[in-house]
Amino acid sequence: MSIAAKLAQFGKQHIARGIGRSTELVISKGKGTYVWCVEGKKYLDLTTGIGVTNTGHCHPTVVKAVQEQAANLSHGQVNIFFQKPMLDLIEGLKNRMPSPKLDTFFFWNSGSEAVEAAIKLARQATKKQNIIVFQGSYHGRTFGTMALTTSKTTYSAGFGPLMPGVHVAPYPYFQQWAAHKADPTKFTPEWCGEEALRQLEILLKQRTSPEDTAAILIEPIQGEGGYVVPPKGYMKGLRALCDKHNILLICDEVQSGFGRTGKMFAVEHTGVVPDILVMAKGIASGYPLSGIVANKALMDLQPPGSMGGTYSGNAISCAAANATLRVFDDEKLLENCNARSEQFFSALRAKIPAALPKGVTVDVRGEGLMIGIEFMGVPYGFANSVAQEALKLDTIVLTTSIYETLRLIPPLNITKEETDLAIDRVVNSIAAASKAVKA
Ligand code: PMP
Protein backbone atom coordinates (compact mmCIF):
# COMPACT_ATOMS: atom_id res chain seq x y z
CA MET A 1 0.00 0.00 0.00
CA SER A 2 1.37 3.47 -0.88
CA ILE A 3 2.07 6.02 1.88
CA ALA A 4 -0.84 8.13 0.62
CA ALA A 5 -3.21 5.16 0.66
CA LYS A 6 -2.06 4.23 4.18
CA LEU A 7 -2.63 7.78 5.43
CA ALA A 8 -6.05 7.96 3.77
CA GLN A 9 -6.93 4.66 5.43
CA PHE A 10 -5.80 6.06 8.81
CA GLY A 11 -7.92 9.18 8.21
CA LYS A 12 -10.99 7.08 7.40
CA GLN A 13 -10.46 5.04 10.55
CA HIS A 14 -10.08 7.98 12.93
CA ILE A 15 -11.87 11.00 11.47
CA ALA A 16 -15.62 11.33 12.03
CA ARG A 17 -17.58 9.57 9.29
CA GLY A 18 -20.05 12.46 9.26
CA ILE A 19 -17.54 14.51 7.27
CA GLY A 20 -18.19 13.83 3.61
CA ARG A 21 -15.17 14.18 1.30
CA SER A 22 -15.10 14.63 -2.46
CA THR A 23 -11.59 13.15 -2.94
CA GLU A 24 -9.30 10.79 -1.05
CA LEU A 25 -6.19 12.88 -1.70
CA VAL A 26 -3.82 13.43 1.23
CA ILE A 27 -2.24 16.85 0.70
CA SER A 28 0.72 18.36 2.49
CA LYS A 29 1.62 21.44 0.47
CA GLY A 30 -0.07 24.28 -1.39
CA LYS A 31 1.33 27.11 -3.49
CA GLY A 32 -0.69 29.51 -5.64
CA THR A 33 -3.13 27.56 -7.78
CA TYR A 34 -1.66 24.14 -6.94
CA VAL A 35 -1.67 21.61 -4.12
CA TRP A 36 0.66 18.65 -3.74
CA CYS A 37 -0.25 15.32 -2.21
CA VAL A 38 2.14 13.52 0.15
CA GLU A 39 3.61 11.46 -2.65
CA GLY A 40 4.58 14.60 -4.53
CA LYS A 41 1.87 14.64 -7.18
CA LYS A 42 0.73 18.15 -8.18
CA TYR A 43 -2.93 19.07 -8.67
CA LEU A 44 -4.53 22.14 -10.20
CA ASP A 45 -6.85 23.38 -7.44
CA LEU A 46 -10.00 25.00 -8.82
CA THR A 47 -11.67 24.99 -5.39
CA THR A 48 -9.55 27.32 -3.17
CA GLY A 49 -10.95 25.30 -0.26
CA ILE A 50 -14.45 26.55 -1.27
CA GLY A 51 -13.60 30.18 -1.91
CA VAL A 52 -11.15 30.65 0.94
CA THR A 53 -7.60 30.96 -0.40
CA ASN A 54 -8.55 33.74 -2.80
CA THR A 55 -4.93 34.99 -2.81
CA GLY A 56 -3.72 31.49 -3.76
CA HIS A 57 -2.26 28.92 -1.39
CA CYS A 58 0.40 30.29 0.98
CA HIS A 59 0.78 33.74 -0.50
CA PRO A 60 4.20 35.03 0.74
CA THR A 61 2.72 38.31 2.05
CA VAL A 62 0.18 36.39 4.12
CA VAL A 63 2.76 33.85 5.33
CA LYS A 64 5.11 36.62 6.48
CA ALA A 65 2.34 38.52 8.29
CA VAL A 66 1.24 35.36 10.09
CA GLN A 67 4.78 34.50 11.13
CA GLU A 68 5.38 37.99 12.49
CA GLN A 69 2.05 38.16 14.30
CA ALA A 70 2.57 34.70 15.85
CA ALA A 71 5.84 35.94 17.33
CA ASN A 72 4.27 39.19 18.62
CA LEU A 73 0.80 38.42 19.96
CA SER A 74 -1.21 35.34 19.08
CA HIS A 75 -4.28 35.89 21.23
CA GLY A 76 -5.93 39.08 22.46
CA GLN A 77 -9.29 38.12 23.91
CA VAL A 78 -11.94 40.59 22.72
CA ASN A 79 -13.88 40.55 25.97
CA ILE A 80 -10.70 41.75 27.71
CA PHE A 81 -8.76 43.89 25.20
CA PHE A 82 -8.86 45.92 22.03
CA GLN A 83 -6.18 44.27 19.94
CA LYS A 84 -4.21 46.18 17.32
CA PRO A 85 -4.51 43.76 14.35
CA MET A 86 -8.33 43.90 14.64
CA LEU A 87 -8.33 47.71 14.72
CA ASP A 88 -6.05 47.73 11.67
CA LEU A 89 -8.42 45.35 9.96
CA ILE A 90 -11.42 47.58 10.59
CA GLU A 91 -9.43 50.50 9.16
CA GLY A 92 -8.72 48.41 6.04
CA LEU A 93 -12.26 47.07 5.64
CA LYS A 94 -14.20 50.25 6.36
CA ASN A 95 -13.62 51.80 2.94
CA ARG A 96 -14.21 48.57 1.06
CA MET A 97 -17.77 48.04 2.27
CA PRO A 98 -20.67 48.43 -0.19
CA SER A 99 -21.62 51.63 1.70
CA PRO A 100 -19.98 53.86 4.34
CA LYS A 101 -23.13 53.21 6.41
CA LEU A 102 -21.74 49.76 7.13
CA ASP A 103 -19.27 50.96 9.72
CA THR A 104 -19.47 48.73 12.82
CA PHE A 105 -18.02 45.25 13.01
CA PHE A 106 -18.18 42.05 15.01
CA PHE A 107 -15.69 39.28 14.27
CA TRP A 108 -15.94 35.57 14.82
CA ASN A 109 -14.27 32.41 13.50
CA SER A 110 -16.43 30.63 10.95
CA GLY A 111 -19.08 31.57 8.43
CA SER A 112 -21.78 29.72 10.37
CA GLU A 113 -20.98 31.61 13.57
CA ALA A 114 -21.11 34.92 11.71
CA VAL A 115 -24.52 34.04 10.24
CA GLU A 116 -25.69 33.24 13.77
CA ALA A 117 -24.30 36.59 14.94
CA ALA A 118 -26.37 38.31 12.22
CA ILE A 119 -29.51 36.49 13.36
CA LYS A 120 -28.81 37.36 17.00
CA LEU A 121 -28.42 41.03 16.03
CA ALA A 122 -31.57 41.01 13.89
CA ARG A 123 -33.67 39.44 16.64
CA GLN A 124 -32.33 41.65 19.41
CA ALA A 125 -32.52 44.86 17.39
CA THR A 126 -36.02 44.36 15.97
CA LYS A 127 -37.49 42.46 18.92
CA LYS A 128 -39.01 40.18 16.26
CA GLN A 129 -38.25 36.50 15.82
CA ASN A 130 -38.90 35.08 12.39
CA ILE A 131 -36.34 34.81 9.63
CA ILE A 132 -37.04 34.21 5.95
CA VAL A 133 -34.47 32.23 3.97
CA PHE A 134 -34.51 30.93 0.42
CA GLN A 135 -34.87 27.57 -1.23
CA GLY A 136 -31.39 26.22 -2.01
CA SER A 137 -29.70 28.33 0.69
CA TYR A 138 -26.56 27.29 2.53
CA HIS A 139 -25.71 29.16 5.72
CA GLY A 140 -23.83 26.56 7.76
CA ARG A 141 -23.93 23.48 9.89
CA THR A 142 -24.28 24.75 13.48
CA PHE A 143 -27.59 24.34 15.27
CA GLY A 144 -28.83 27.78 14.32
CA THR A 145 -27.65 27.70 10.73
CA MET A 146 -28.88 24.15 10.05
CA ALA A 147 -32.39 25.58 10.31
CA LEU A 148 -31.48 28.29 7.79
CA THR A 149 -29.92 25.88 5.28
CA THR A 150 -32.20 24.33 2.67
CA SER A 151 -29.84 23.23 -0.11
CA LYS A 152 -29.83 19.55 0.87
CA THR A 153 -31.56 17.47 3.55
CA THR A 154 -28.22 15.77 4.37
CA TYR A 155 -27.27 18.86 6.38
CA SER A 156 -30.18 18.59 8.81
CA ALA A 157 -31.64 15.06 8.57
CA GLY A 158 -31.73 13.40 11.97
CA PHE A 159 -30.68 16.53 13.89
CA GLY A 160 -34.11 18.01 14.66
CA PRO A 161 -35.90 19.75 16.19
CA LEU A 162 -34.22 22.72 14.56
CA MET A 163 -34.31 26.39 15.58
CA PRO A 164 -37.92 27.57 15.14
CA GLY A 165 -39.12 30.70 13.36
CA VAL A 166 -37.54 30.03 9.95
CA HIS A 167 -39.62 30.29 6.77
CA VAL A 168 -38.54 29.45 3.25
CA ALA A 169 -39.26 31.51 0.12
CA PRO A 170 -38.43 30.57 -3.49
CA TYR A 171 -35.09 31.78 -4.87
CA PRO A 172 -35.36 33.13 -8.44
CA TYR A 173 -33.55 30.16 -10.00
CA PHE A 174 -34.45 30.57 -13.65
CA GLN A 175 -32.97 27.34 -15.06
CA GLN A 176 -34.83 25.14 -12.62
CA TRP A 177 -38.11 27.06 -12.92
CA ALA A 178 -37.98 26.96 -16.69
CA ALA A 179 -37.18 23.24 -16.63
CA HIS A 180 -40.56 22.57 -15.02
CA LYS A 181 -42.49 24.45 -17.66
CA ALA A 182 -43.71 22.98 -20.92
CA ASP A 183 -42.25 25.83 -22.96
CA PRO A 184 -39.17 27.38 -21.35
CA THR A 185 -38.96 30.06 -24.06
CA LYS A 186 -42.04 31.77 -22.54
CA PHE A 187 -40.22 32.30 -19.25
CA THR A 188 -37.60 34.99 -18.89
CA PRO A 189 -35.18 35.51 -16.00
CA GLU A 190 -36.93 38.84 -15.29
CA TRP A 191 -40.30 37.10 -15.00
CA CYS A 192 -38.67 34.62 -12.62
CA GLY A 193 -37.37 37.45 -10.42
CA GLU A 194 -40.75 39.20 -10.32
CA GLU A 195 -42.54 35.94 -9.53
CA ALA A 196 -40.11 35.20 -6.68
CA LEU A 197 -40.93 38.61 -5.17
CA ARG A 198 -44.68 37.92 -5.53
CA GLN A 199 -44.20 34.62 -3.71
CA LEU A 200 -42.34 36.41 -0.94
CA GLU A 201 -45.26 38.86 -0.52
CA ILE A 202 -47.61 35.86 -0.28
CA LEU A 203 -45.39 34.27 2.40
CA LEU A 204 -45.60 37.52 4.38
CA LYS A 205 -49.42 37.44 4.07
CA GLN A 206 -49.96 33.74 4.72
CA ARG A 207 -47.22 32.45 7.01
CA THR A 208 -45.03 35.04 8.72
CA SER A 209 -46.39 38.55 8.99
CA PRO A 210 -44.05 41.54 8.78
CA GLU A 211 -44.71 42.25 12.50
CA ASP A 212 -43.14 38.88 13.30
CA THR A 213 -40.39 38.89 10.67
CA ALA A 214 -37.04 40.22 11.83
CA ALA A 215 -35.00 39.64 8.69
CA ILE A 216 -34.69 38.20 5.22
CA LEU A 217 -31.40 36.35 4.81
CA ILE A 218 -30.08 35.88 1.27
CA GLU A 219 -26.94 34.87 -0.59
CA PRO A 220 -26.70 37.55 -3.32
CA ILE A 221 -25.34 34.76 -5.51
CA GLN A 222 -26.35 31.37 -4.23
CA GLY A 223 -23.29 29.18 -3.53
CA GLU A 224 -23.86 25.61 -2.44
CA GLY A 225 -27.38 25.84 -3.94
CA GLY A 226 -25.98 25.97 -7.49
CA TYR A 227 -24.04 29.19 -8.17
CA VAL A 228 -27.29 30.88 -9.06
CA VAL A 229 -27.26 34.57 -9.98
CA PRO A 230 -30.63 36.27 -9.33
CA PRO A 231 -32.14 38.04 -12.34
CA LYS A 232 -31.42 41.72 -12.86
CA GLY A 233 -33.58 43.92 -10.65
CA TYR A 234 -34.40 41.18 -8.16
CA MET A 235 -32.16 42.39 -5.34
CA LYS A 236 -33.47 45.95 -5.74
CA GLY A 237 -37.02 44.57 -5.51
CA LEU A 238 -36.05 42.63 -2.41
CA ARG A 239 -34.55 45.72 -0.79
CA ALA A 240 -37.76 47.66 -1.53
CA LEU A 241 -39.87 44.85 -0.08
CA CYS A 242 -37.78 44.83 3.12
CA ASP A 243 -38.09 48.63 3.44
CA LYS A 244 -41.84 48.52 2.83
CA HIS A 245 -42.36 45.93 5.58
CA ASN A 246 -39.69 47.17 7.99
CA ILE A 247 -37.71 43.94 7.74
CA LEU A 248 -33.90 43.82 7.89
CA LEU A 249 -32.02 42.58 4.83
CA ILE A 250 -29.05 40.33 5.63
CA CYS A 251 -26.65 39.40 2.83
CA ASP A 252 -24.57 36.28 3.42
CA GLU A 253 -21.38 36.99 1.44
CA VAL A 254 -19.42 34.18 3.07
CA GLN A 255 -18.77 32.54 -0.31
CA SER A 256 -19.41 35.42 -2.72
CA GLY A 257 -17.39 38.06 -0.86
CA PHE A 258 -13.79 39.22 -0.94
CA GLY A 259 -13.39 39.72 -4.64
CA ARG A 260 -14.83 36.38 -5.71
CA THR A 261 -17.26 38.02 -8.15
CA GLY A 262 -14.92 40.73 -9.46
CA LYS A 263 -16.15 43.31 -6.94
CA MET A 264 -15.31 43.21 -3.26
CA PHE A 265 -18.85 42.01 -2.50
CA ALA A 266 -21.39 40.44 -4.86
CA VAL A 267 -24.17 42.73 -3.69
CA GLU A 268 -22.26 45.66 -5.23
CA HIS A 269 -23.27 44.36 -8.68
CA THR A 270 -26.89 45.13 -7.74
CA GLY A 271 -26.60 48.61 -6.21
CA VAL A 272 -28.24 47.33 -3.02
CA VAL A 273 -26.95 47.97 0.50
CA PRO A 274 -27.93 45.32 3.06
CA ASP A 275 -28.59 46.14 6.72
CA ILE A 276 -26.20 43.42 7.80
CA LEU A 277 -23.45 41.88 5.69
CA VAL A 278 -21.91 38.54 6.66
CA MET A 279 -18.34 37.71 5.64
CA ALA A 280 -15.84 34.88 6.16
CA LYS A 281 -13.81 32.50 3.95
CA GLY A 282 -11.79 34.79 1.61
CA ILE A 283 -11.31 37.45 4.29
CA ALA A 284 -8.13 35.89 5.70
CA SER A 285 -6.73 33.58 2.98
CA GLY A 286 -7.31 30.41 4.99
CA TYR A 287 -7.06 31.51 8.61
CA PRO A 288 -10.27 31.16 10.64
CA LEU A 289 -11.99 34.52 10.64
CA SER A 290 -15.50 35.74 9.97
CA GLY A 291 -17.54 38.79 10.78
CA ILE A 292 -20.63 40.87 10.38
CA VAL A 293 -20.89 44.56 9.60
CA ALA A 294 -23.86 46.89 10.09
CA ASN A 295 -24.59 50.51 10.82
CA LYS A 296 -23.52 51.63 14.30
CA ALA A 297 -27.09 52.64 15.26
CA LEU A 298 -28.28 49.09 14.57
CA MET A 299 -25.28 47.35 16.15
CA ASP A 300 -25.55 49.50 19.30
CA LEU A 301 -29.01 48.09 20.03
CA GLN A 302 -27.18 45.06 21.47
CA PRO A 303 -26.36 45.24 25.15
CA PRO A 304 -22.65 44.88 26.07
CA GLY A 305 -21.74 41.31 26.93
CA SER A 306 -24.34 39.73 24.67
CA MET A 307 -21.73 39.05 21.94
CA GLY A 308 -18.20 37.70 22.05
CA GLY A 309 -16.25 34.45 22.17
CA THR A 310 -12.81 33.17 23.11
CA TYR A 311 -11.31 33.29 19.63
CA SER A 312 -13.53 36.07 18.26
CA GLY A 313 -11.36 37.93 15.72
CA ASN A 314 -8.17 36.07 16.58
CA ALA A 315 -5.05 38.26 16.28
CA ILE A 316 -3.20 35.97 13.84
CA SER A 317 -6.28 35.65 11.65
CA CYS A 318 -6.69 39.44 11.67
CA ALA A 319 -3.03 39.83 10.64
CA ALA A 320 -3.67 37.36 7.79
CA ALA A 321 -6.70 39.42 6.77
CA ASN A 322 -4.67 42.65 6.80
CA ALA A 323 -2.08 41.00 4.56
CA THR A 324 -4.86 39.69 2.31
CA LEU A 325 -6.13 43.25 1.79
CA ARG A 326 -2.59 44.38 0.95
CA VAL A 327 -2.39 41.66 -1.71
CA PHE A 328 -5.71 42.88 -3.17
CA ASP A 329 -4.14 46.30 -3.70
CA ASP A 330 -0.56 45.30 -4.59
CA GLU A 331 -1.59 42.70 -7.16
CA LYS A 332 -4.80 44.35 -8.38
CA LEU A 333 -6.70 41.14 -7.66
CA LEU A 334 -10.08 42.50 -8.72
CA GLU A 335 -8.71 43.47 -12.14
CA ASN A 336 -7.14 40.07 -12.63
CA CYS A 337 -10.34 38.39 -11.47
CA ASN A 338 -12.33 40.24 -14.12
CA ALA A 339 -9.82 39.53 -16.91
CA ARG A 340 -9.63 35.81 -16.07
CA SER A 341 -13.40 35.70 -15.70
CA GLU A 342 -13.80 36.92 -19.27
CA GLN A 343 -11.30 34.28 -20.43
CA PHE A 344 -13.11 31.46 -18.56
CA PHE A 345 -16.64 32.42 -19.57
CA SER A 346 -16.00 32.97 -23.26
CA ALA A 347 -13.99 29.74 -23.64
CA LEU A 348 -16.29 27.56 -21.53
CA ARG A 349 -19.41 28.84 -23.32
CA ALA A 350 -17.79 28.23 -26.71
CA LYS A 351 -16.29 24.82 -26.01
CA ILE A 352 -18.58 22.92 -23.62
CA PRO A 353 -21.63 22.38 -25.89
CA ALA A 354 -19.56 20.36 -28.40
CA ALA A 355 -18.25 18.14 -25.59
CA LEU A 356 -21.75 17.11 -24.42
CA PRO A 357 -24.01 14.27 -25.55
CA LYS A 358 -26.81 15.19 -27.99
CA GLY A 359 -29.83 16.81 -26.36
CA VAL A 360 -27.93 17.96 -23.29
CA THR A 361 -27.83 21.71 -22.66
CA VAL A 362 -25.54 23.72 -20.43
CA ASP A 363 -25.80 26.99 -18.53
CA VAL A 364 -22.42 28.56 -17.78
CA ARG A 365 -23.14 31.31 -15.28
CA GLY A 366 -21.80 33.37 -12.41
CA GLU A 367 -19.86 36.53 -11.82
CA GLY A 368 -16.11 37.00 -11.73
CA LEU A 369 -14.46 33.74 -10.72
CA MET A 370 -17.58 32.29 -9.11
CA ILE A 371 -18.33 30.03 -12.05
CA GLY A 372 -21.22 27.58 -12.19
CA ILE A 373 -21.76 25.05 -15.00
CA GLU A 374 -25.19 23.40 -14.93
CA PHE A 375 -25.98 20.45 -17.21
CA MET A 376 -29.60 19.88 -18.15
CA GLY A 377 -30.86 16.59 -19.57
CA VAL A 378 -28.05 14.46 -18.09
CA PRO A 379 -28.44 11.36 -15.91
CA TYR A 380 -28.22 11.76 -12.14
CA GLY A 381 -24.58 11.93 -11.01
CA PHE A 382 -23.21 13.38 -14.26
CA ALA A 383 -21.61 16.42 -12.59
CA ASN A 384 -19.94 14.13 -10.10
CA SER A 385 -18.57 11.96 -12.95
CA VAL A 386 -17.09 15.12 -14.48
CA ALA A 387 -15.38 15.89 -11.15
CA GLN A 388 -13.98 12.32 -11.07
CA GLU A 389 -12.72 12.66 -14.66
CA ALA A 390 -11.07 15.97 -13.73
CA LEU A 391 -9.23 14.25 -10.91
CA LYS A 392 -7.76 11.84 -13.47
CA LEU A 393 -6.40 14.97 -15.19
CA ASP A 394 -4.86 16.16 -11.88
CA THR A 395 -7.50 18.84 -11.44
CA ILE A 396 -9.84 19.40 -8.52
CA VAL A 397 -13.33 20.79 -9.11
CA LEU A 398 -16.46 20.74 -6.96
CA THR A 399 -20.12 20.09 -7.63
CA THR A 400 -23.02 21.86 -5.88
CA SER A 401 -26.06 20.53 -4.02
CA ILE A 402 -28.87 18.65 -5.77
CA TYR A 403 -28.78 19.77 -9.39
CA GLU A 404 -26.16 18.66 -11.92
CA THR A 405 -23.86 21.63 -11.46
CA LEU A 406 -20.09 22.06 -11.30
CA ARG A 407 -18.48 25.03 -9.63
CA LEU A 408 -15.07 26.48 -10.41
CA ILE A 409 -13.56 28.68 -7.68
CA PRO A 410 -9.95 29.39 -8.68
CA PRO A 411 -7.76 31.89 -6.82
CA LEU A 412 -8.21 35.51 -7.88
CA ASN A 413 -4.56 35.68 -8.95
CA ILE A 414 -4.73 32.67 -11.28
CA THR A 415 -2.58 33.40 -14.33
CA LYS A 416 -3.65 33.53 -17.97
CA GLU A 417 -1.72 30.32 -18.70
CA GLU A 418 -3.20 28.49 -15.70
CA THR A 419 -6.64 29.62 -16.84
CA ASP A 420 -6.05 28.12 -20.31
CA LEU A 421 -4.93 24.89 -18.66
CA ALA A 422 -7.99 24.87 -16.37
CA ILE A 423 -10.36 25.43 -19.31
CA ASP A 424 -8.76 22.57 -21.31
CA ARG A 425 -8.93 20.17 -18.41
CA VAL A 426 -12.53 21.04 -17.48
CA VAL A 427 -13.73 20.69 -21.09
CA ASN A 428 -11.84 17.40 -21.49
CA SER A 429 -13.35 16.08 -18.26
CA ILE A 430 -16.83 16.94 -19.52
CA ALA A 431 -16.07 15.18 -22.82
CA ALA A 432 -14.83 12.07 -20.96
CA ALA A 433 -17.92 11.92 -18.73
CA SER A 434 -20.13 12.48 -21.81
CA LYS A 435 -18.53 9.50 -23.59
CA ALA A 436 -19.64 7.25 -20.74
CA VAL A 437 -23.21 8.57 -21.12
CA LYS A 438 -23.20 7.95 -24.88
CA ALA A 439 -21.75 4.43 -24.54
N1 PMP B 1 -22.67 30.83 4.28
C1 PMP B 1 -22.30 30.51 3.03
C2 PMP B 1 -22.88 31.25 1.87
C3 PMP B 1 -21.35 29.50 2.82
O1 PMP B 1 -20.98 29.18 1.57
C4 PMP B 1 -20.80 28.83 3.94
C5 PMP B 1 -19.77 27.73 3.79
N2 PMP B 1 -19.74 27.04 2.62
C6 PMP B 1 -21.24 29.19 5.22
C7 PMP B 1 -22.17 30.22 5.35
C8 PMP B 1 -20.71 28.52 6.45
O2 PMP B 1 -19.38 28.83 6.67
P1 PMP B 1 -18.44 27.92 7.60
O3 PMP B 1 -18.29 26.62 6.91
O4 PMP B 1 -17.18 28.70 7.71
O5 PMP B 1 -19.13 27.79 8.91
Side-chain angles (χ1 to χ4, degrees):
M1 207 190 258
S2 69
I3 298 170
K6 266 193 200 146
L7 285 169
Q9 188 58 38
F10 181 81
K12 272 195 224 162
Q13 184 70 30
H14 295 287
I15 295 175
R17 188 166 164 257
I19 298 181
R21 207 170 287 101
S22 61
T23 79
E24 303 236 318
L25 298 179
V26 182
I27 60 164
S28 55
K29 183 181 154 180
K31 188 90 199 126
T33 313
Y34 292 93
V35 290
W36 283 259
C37 76
V38 280
E39 290 190 322
K41 197 162 177 204
K42 181 179 171 187
Y43 288 84
L44 186 67
D45 178 15
L46 302 180
T47 73
T48 47
I50 322 189
V52 174
T53 51
N54 286 358
T55 54
H57 288 283
C58 296
H59 192 287
T61 306
V62 177
V63 171
K64 187 163 175 278
V66 165
Q67 286 169 336
E68 285 173 6
Q69 187 60 46
N72 251 345
L73 175 76
S74 56
H75 180 55
Q77 222 279 2
V78 287
N79 299 105
I80 306 176
F81 303 108
F82 289 116
Q83 39 117 335
K84 182 72 165 51
M86 184 187 285
L87 300 176
D88 291 344
L89 179 58
I90 293 169
E91 195 58 53
L93 286 177
K94 204 156 60 52
N95 300 325
R96 298 176 204 250
M97 290 297 130
S99 157
K101 286 188 213 149
L102 299 173
D103 60 359
T104 308
F105 294 79
F106 169 73
F107 295 103
W108 222 337
N109 309 294
S110 66
S112 309
E113 288 168 304
V115 171
E116 291 205 354
I119 302 302
K120 284 171 74 173
L121 172 59
R123 282 186 166 179
Q124 243 176 354
T126 62
K127 300 194 168 44
K128 300 194 270 184
Q129 291 186 0
N130 291 353
I131 307 293
I132 294 177
V133 295
F134 291 87
Q135 211 175 354
S137 61
Y138 185 92
H139 298 291
R141 281 185 162 97
T142 54
F143 247 97
T145 55
M146 262 195 303
L148 305 165
T149 290
T150 69
S151 63
K152 228 192 226 174
T153 52
T154 318
Y155 301 130
S156 56
F159 292 121
L162 304 176
M163 177 177 79
V166 178
H167 300 279
V168 184
Y171 196 84
Y173 188 170
F174 177 66
Q175 288 302 337
Q176 287 305 323
W177 288 29
H180 297 304
K181 309 291 176 186
D183 180 3
T185 55
K186 292 214 173 81
F187 296 89
T188 62
E190 287 69 28
W191 173 87
C192 177
E194 285 156 19
E195 181 58 19
L197 289 170
R198 269 194 295 275
Q199 295 291 330
L200 199 45
E201 288 282 10
I202 290 172
L203 189 71
L204 288 167
K205 285 201 176 97
Q206 291 189 321
R207 193 71 195 94
T208 168
S209 84
E211 300 100 85
D212 289 332
T213 307
I216 295 181
L217 167 64
I218 190 164
E219 294 162 84
I221 294 183
Q222 217 168 47
E224 161 74 12
Y227 274 33
V228 187
V229 185
K232 223 169 177 302
Y234 174 78
M235 288 298 294
K236 278 221 164 101
L238 184 63
R239 177 72 268 182
L241 183 146
C242 286
D243 291 342
K244 177 173 134 196
H245 294 296
N246 198 21
I247 295 171
L248 295 176
L249 177 62
I250 308 175
C251 283
D252 178 344
E253 292 254 15
V254 168
Q255 193 160 160
S256 58
F258 286 90
R260 176 54 48 199
T261 67
K263 290 191 187 281
M264 208 56 183
F265 295 99
V267 74
E268 290 174 60
H269 292 282
T270 70
V272 160
V273 178
D275 298 295
I276 308 173
L277 186 144
V278 185
M279 51 201 158
K281 289 190 190 280
I283 187 173
S285 295
Y287 292 83
L289 185 68
S290 65
I292 60 170
V293 60
N295 182 253
K296 181 163 171 55
L298 181 68
M299 211 64 126
D300 280 356
L301 293 172
Q302 294 196 293
S306 60
M307 301 293 276
T310 300
Y311 298 110
S312 164
N314 169 264
I316 297 176
S317 295
C318 284
N322 288 325
T324 299
L325 294 181
R326 282 202 296 282
V327 177
F328 266 84
D329 295 340
D330 294 349
E331 297 182 14
K332 299 194 171 34
L333 286 194
L334 295 181
E335 280 172 34
N336 189 63
C337 173
N338 287 314
R340 301 290 74 82
S341 172
E342 181 76 44
Q343 193 182 342
F344 264 112
F345 277 101
S346 54
L348 292 173
R349 283 183 177 141
K351 291 180 179 176
I352 292 176
L356 288 169
K358 239 192 158 126
V360 170
T361 53
V362 65
D363 183 33
V364 183
R365 60 176 176 241
E367 288 279 7
L369 291 174
M370 188 167 185
I371 304 166
I373 306 173
E374 178 164 7
F375 306 102
M376 279 144 305
V378 288
Y380 173 76
F382 180 79
N384 193 42
S385 317
V386 175
Q388 294 313 314
E389 292 296 338
L391 209 51
K392 292 184 200 160
L393 300 177
D394 303 340
T395 302
I396 311 168
V397 297
L398 291 174
T399 57
T400 65
S401 66
I402 64 164
Y403 299 113
E404 295 299 330
T405 307
L406 287 180
R407 52 179 151 174
L408 310 183
I409 331 171
L412 307 182
N413 53 5
I414 187 171
T415 65
K416 191 164 183 288
E417 294 69 32
E418 288 166 345
T419 303
D420 281 335
L421 182 67
I423 292 162
D424 270 0
R425 289 187 181 180
V426 168
V427 172
N428 289 338
S429 309
I430 294 170
S434 299
K435 239 188 224 155
V437 172
K438 278 182 210 153

